[in-house]
């Protein structure tokens, strides 16, 4: 709302009949300073009001756990899933029950990362980033730029302070203060490929899976990036560091590649499927599980050199998979989040 005109600018109702000369109406320095401070304060309140009005909180939905969910984070007995309409759900019992959090966005959330049982971040459409410092009980919006029309697709922190949000058109944002503020640092001056997933190896190398066969690696915690040679020009949606410098990368039409030397050389691995592959997890016993659309679940017992194909009967698309412990997986995707026992996979093997 525009401020009302000041008293000195309003039209007086009665003309002055005084014969005395008019005195100067210049403000004293002290009054001028007060006026400037008052205007600044009003502008600040207006900006705060505008920001508050811009926030659309996620709507509580009884069936949120059955909605489209796109990523899972698991740490210290805490599971957090994110998805459409700003839905964030939290579980403390390995996915047996879920509680929906109140989140300051209705944008689809595509990625989530937790540094520990308290500090976590989620990213998504409208270039939104939200964070929590209490294990997902409450969330605050720390970045939002719907005008950019460039969604974030994944998020990762290398420690409690330094983190990365990546997304469409080569978007790479970096924070050094735990997510309070973010700055754009383009990954390449030449490429604007969609950056789909970021992962960190035990040795500290960072990898990004991107579209058009692009693969990026950083050996210095994201200060600089190298584009790796790739034998495939289709999009990659997941990258999975293994032991030492071994890693897997996978994506469109069931393509999965394995490297023994941090991405310098690649070997194609037969998956037996043309379904899009989205996510993978390394289990404590060395078993590797990779999942994707059409309910596809791939299992490897030899470090990702060969895989057996398991087709889920529901054929619901799987976007993310994590180890829930006790021989169980948590799957997120079409139809929400659900548990899958590894024994079920064994029973279906070979069918």
């Amino acid at each position: 709302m525009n401020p009302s005109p000041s008293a000195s600018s309003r039209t007086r109702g009665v003309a002055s009949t005084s014969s005395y000369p008019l005195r100067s109406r210049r403000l004293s320095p002290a009054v001028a300073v007060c006026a400037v401070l008052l205007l600044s304060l009003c502008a600040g309140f207006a900006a705060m009001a505008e920001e508050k009005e811009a926030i659309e909180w996620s709507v509580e939905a009884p069936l949120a756990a059955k909605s489209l969910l796109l990523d899972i984070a698991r740490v210290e007995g805490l599971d957090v899933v994110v998805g459409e309409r700003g839905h964030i759900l939290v579980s403390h019992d390995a996915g047996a029950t879920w509680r929906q959090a109140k989140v300051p966005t209705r944008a689809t959330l595509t990625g989530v990362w937790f540094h520990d049982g308290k500090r976590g971040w989620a990213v998504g459409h409208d270039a939104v980033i939200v964070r929590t410092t209490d294990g997902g009980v409450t969330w605050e919006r720390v970045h939002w730029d719907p005008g950019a029309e460039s969604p974030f697709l994944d998020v990762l922190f290398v420690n409690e302070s330094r983190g990365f949000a990546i997304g469409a058109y080569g978007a790479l944002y970096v924070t050094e203060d735990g997510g309070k503020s973010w700055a754009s640092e383009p990954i390449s001056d030449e490429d604007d490929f969609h950056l789909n997933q970021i992962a960190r190896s035990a040795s500290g190398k960072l990898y990004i899976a991107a579209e058009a066969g692009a693969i990026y690696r950083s050996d210095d915690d994201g200060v600089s990036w190298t584009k790796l040679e790739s034998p495939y020009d289709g999009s990659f949606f997941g990258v999975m560091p293994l032991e030492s410098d071994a890693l897997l990368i996978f994506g469109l039409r069931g393509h999965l590649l394995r490297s023994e030397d941090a991405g310098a050389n690649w070997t194609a691995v037969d998956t037996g499927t043309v379904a899009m592959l989205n996510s993978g997890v390394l289990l404590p016993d060395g078993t590797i599980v990779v999942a994707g659309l059409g309910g596809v679940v791939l299992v490897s017992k030899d470090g990702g050199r060969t895989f057996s194909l398991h087709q889920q009967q529901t054929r619901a698309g799987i976007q993310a998979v994590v180890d829930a412990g006790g021989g169980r997986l948590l799957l997120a995707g079409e139809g929400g989040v659900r548990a899958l026992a590894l024994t079920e996979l064994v029973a279906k093997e070979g069918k």
Side-chain angles (χ1 to χ4, degrees):
M1 180 177 68
N2 293 326
S4 60
S6 66
S8 61
S9 66
R10 293 174 184 161
T11 302
R12 301 287 184 178
V14 179
S16 174
T17 58
S18 172
S19 60
Y20 294 104
L22 295 175
R23 289 164 41 176
S24 171
R25 295 186 180 273
R26 288 181 298 174
L27 297 177
S28 69
V31 174
V33 170
C34 290
V36 171
L37 291 176
L38 181 59
L39 289 174
S40 298
L41 187 60
C42 290
F45 284 142
M48 291 172 61
E50 183 178 353
E51 173 72 10
K52 185 176 181 180
E53 290 175 1
I55 292 179
E56 288 188 312
W57 293 84
S58 59
V59 178
E60 184 176 354
L63 297 179
K66 300 293 184 182
S67 64
L68 177 63
L69 299 172
L70 300 175
D71 200 14
I72 312 175
R74 179 176 175 80
V75 61
E76 298 178 4
L78 173 71
D79 292 288
V80 180
V81 293
V82 302
E84 65 177 342
R85 302 174 186 172
H87 290 164
I88 296 181
L89 298 104
V90 179
S91 175
H92 292 277
D93 52 14
T97 59
W98 295 93
R99 179 190 60 79
Q100 185 181 356
K102 185 177 180 181
V103 185
T105 184
R106 292 184 188 176
T108 294
L109 298 175
T110 54
V112 60
W113 177 270
F114 268 70
H115 173 71
D116 52 31
K118 295 295 184 181
R119 290 165 289 191
W121 304 262
V123 301
H125 292 194
D126 292 342
V128 70
I129 304 175
V130 295
R131 72 167 185 163
T132 179
T133 57
D134 57 13
V137 176
T138 61
W139 295 81
E140 63 172 326
R141 192 177 72 185
V142 293
H143 189 276
W144 182 64
D145 186 11
E149 298 183 348
S150 178
F152 288 127
L153 301 174
D154 200 13
V155 57
L156 177 144
F157 274 66
V158 298
N159 53 47
E160 63 186 34
S161 300
R162 181 169 174 80
F164 306 89
I166 64 171
Y169 308 111
L172 180 120
Y173 280 65
V174 181
T175 179
E176 301 286 359
D177 56 12
K180 295 178 183 177
S181 60
W182 296 81
S184 175
E185 296 183 5
I187 195 170
S188 169
D189 294 331
E190 300 176 355
D191 303 334
D192 61 353
F193 300 130
H194 297 342
L195 308 180
N196 294 318
Q197 191 178 87
I198 182 170
R200 190 169 190 252
S201 70
S203 64
K205 292 181 174 65
L206 290 171
Y207 297 93
I208 292 179
E211 70 170 342
I215 310 167
Y216 301 93
R217 188 187 76 206
S218 174
D219 300 328
D220 52 15
D221 274 346
V223 175
S224 61
W225 294 88
T226 300
K227 186 178 180 181
L228 305 177
E229 292 293 329
S230 170
Y232 176 58
D233 59 5
S235 291
F236 292 117
F237 294 102
V239 58
M240 186 178 172
L242 303 174
E243 75 287 347
S244 187
D245 280 334
L247 72 149
L248 303 176
I249 193 162
F250 39 85
L252 280 179
R253 300 190 59 78
H255 282 90
L256 187 151
L257 308 174
R258 189 181 192 278
S259 175
E260 298 276 1
D261 50 16
N265 297 279
W266 296 94
T267 301
V269 179
D270 181 25
T271 62
T273 182
V274 294
M276 181 188 299
L277 303 176
N278 296 315
S279 179
V281 61
L282 175 63
L283 304 182
D285 66 354
T287 298
I288 296 171
V289 177
V290 175
L293 299 188
V296 163
V297 177
L298 304 173
V299 178
S300 174
K301 297 287 188 178
D302 59 4
R305 295 173 179 83
T306 62
F307 283 85
S308 58
L309 171 63
H310 307 263
Q311 187 81 51
Q312 303 302 292
Q313 290 183 353
T314 64
R315 295 184 179 268
I318 302 167
Q319 291 290 337
V321 55
V322 297
D323 177 21
R328 298 165 64 250
L329 303 171
L330 282 181
L331 309 177
E334 295 177 318
V337 59
R338 63 187 179 90
L340 176 67
L342 291 172
T343 52
E344 294 182 47
L345 291 176
V346 173
K348 294 176 182 177
E349 189 166 5
K351 290 189 178 181

